[in-house]
Amino acid sequence: MKKIYNWMQVGLIFVILILIVCVYRSLMRPEKFDQVYEARKAEVIAKLNDIRTLQTFYKNEKGSYAKDFDQLKDFWNNGTMRVVIKEGNVPDSMTEAQALKKKLIRRDTTVLNAKEEISKTLPNLDINTFDIVPYSDNEQFLIQADTIRTGNIPLHVYEVKALRSQYMKNLDEDPRIKNAFLGKMLYSNMQKQFLGPNYSYKDNVIDLILGSMTEASTNGNWQ
């Protein structure tokens, strides 16, 4: 009788442990998903910010935004930029025009290598991969540019987009999940659970969009 009682105790302890793991699993999975989602989103946003900077340099020189990444790459590799060299200081009692007239200051425009100038602002940019969405299996961001009109005023606009289906690929293979403690037991099949067709949580995961094709904005929809 005592032996049976001992086995019942062991069985009860085993059941309790399984319940503890199941409760812990249900509580930790959403938190782990949020951690991975926010980390991936931050990497995508960092690239979108680099693209925004490149587009700004491109427009300042070309007068409009690049319509595709090949134009931005060509500008980086082969383009030039006109840069105003400033010498001297404007006295407080004068305007810049007056100081120029009196030759107290000098303003000259020189043509410089675009890559060298942009590298001062984006020293870590990899021009070979800047257009690739992180975690997407080498898929490009979606990009377009055009000119719209507000009244009679032409406005140059562009839009760059990373789809959630691109940067949330291969979720179960993410090192933050796969290499986690007891990862296989706690975090398996998260792709299906959180992004599958039958789970509403996927609606909280957004496409990341920089700029707009309907208004003159270079903001991101995450801001």
Side-chain angles (χ1 to χ4, degrees):
M1 191 71 171
K2 186 175 180 181
K3 188 175 181 181
I4 294 175
Y5 178 75
N6 289 339
W7 276 109
M8 289 178 63
Q9 282 186 314
V10 171
L12 182 60
I13 292 172
F14 184 71
V15 170
I16 291 172
L17 288 175
I18 291 177
L19 289 174
I20 290 173
V21 170
C22 289
V23 171
Y24 182 82
R25 185 177 189 268
S26 65
L27 293 175
M28 293 303 296
R29 285 169 71 83
E31 182 177 336
K32 176 61 71 173
F33 176 84
D34 285 338
Q35 289 174 358
V36 175
Y37 170 54
E38 292 299 331
R40 288 189 174 200
K41 185 168 74 170
E43 291 183 50
V44 175
I45 290 172
K47 280 200 163 187
L48 287 171
N49 284 330
D50 287 347
I51 292 170
R52 172 165 44 198
T53 301
L54 273 175
Q55 282 282 38
T56 299
F57 278 114
Y58 186 95
K59 181 178 180 294
N60 288 343
E61 187 60 32
K62 304 288 188 178
S64 60
Y65 292 113
K67 294 184 177 182
D68 56 52
F69 290 112
D70 287 338
Q71 289 181 328
L72 287 175
K73 289 179 180 180
D74 183 67
F75 180 60
W76 168 275
N77 290 318
N78 307 306
T80 57
M81 295 172 54
R82 291 164 295 176
V83 179
V84 177
I85 305 298
K86 301 179 180 180
E87 293 182 3
N89 295 307
V90 179
D92 293 337
S93 59
M94 294 184 183
T95 65
E96 183 170 315
Q98 290 171 331
L100 279 168
K101 189 174 181 180
K102 290 183 176 293
K103 297 183 178 179
L104 298 176
I105 60 173
R106 187 168 69 90
R107 300 288 186 264
D108 287 332
T109 301
T110 186
V111 177
L112 300 175
N113 179 275
K115 179 179 178 179
E116 291 180 5
E117 286 303 300
I118 299 172
S119 293
K120 296 175 183 177
T121 304
L122 299 173
N124 299 317
L125 181 74
D126 183 349
I127 198 63
N128 296 313
T129 61
F130 84 102
D131 57 329
I132 301 300
V133 179
Y135 304 99
S136 69
D137 291 338
N138 294 316
E139 293 182 18
Q140 276 190 325
F141 290 94
L142 307 177
I143 184 173
Q144 55 182 324
D146 206 343
T147 303
I148 62 174
R149 284 190 172 273
T150 300
N152 293 321
I153 302 174
L155 299 174
H156 298 289
V157 295
Y158 74 92
E159 183 179 277
V160 184
K161 184 185 297 185
L163 303 178
R164 66 187 182 190
S165 60
Q166 292 178 307
Y167 72 92
M168 291 303 290
K169 270 187 178 181
N170 303 319
L171 185 62
D172 296 324
E173 298 301 314
D174 192 289
R176 284 160 290 219
I177 291 175
K178 198 171 184 180
N179 296 334
F181 179 66
L182 296 178
K184 191 169 183 180
M185 180 187 295
L186 298 175
Y187 305 122
S188 60
N189 297 320
M190 290 186 71
Q191 185 93 33
K192 182 178 180 181
Q193 178 184 352
F194 291 101
L195 299 170
N198 298 319
Y199 196 72
S200 61
Y201 195 92
K202 67 181 185 298
D203 295 331
N204 297 328
V205 181
I206 62 171
D207 297 337
L208 296 172
I209 304 171
L210 172 69
S212 170
M213 293 301 293
T214 59
E215 59 180 320
S217 171
T218 60
N219 291 331
N221 68 335
W222 62 88
Q223 296 174 306

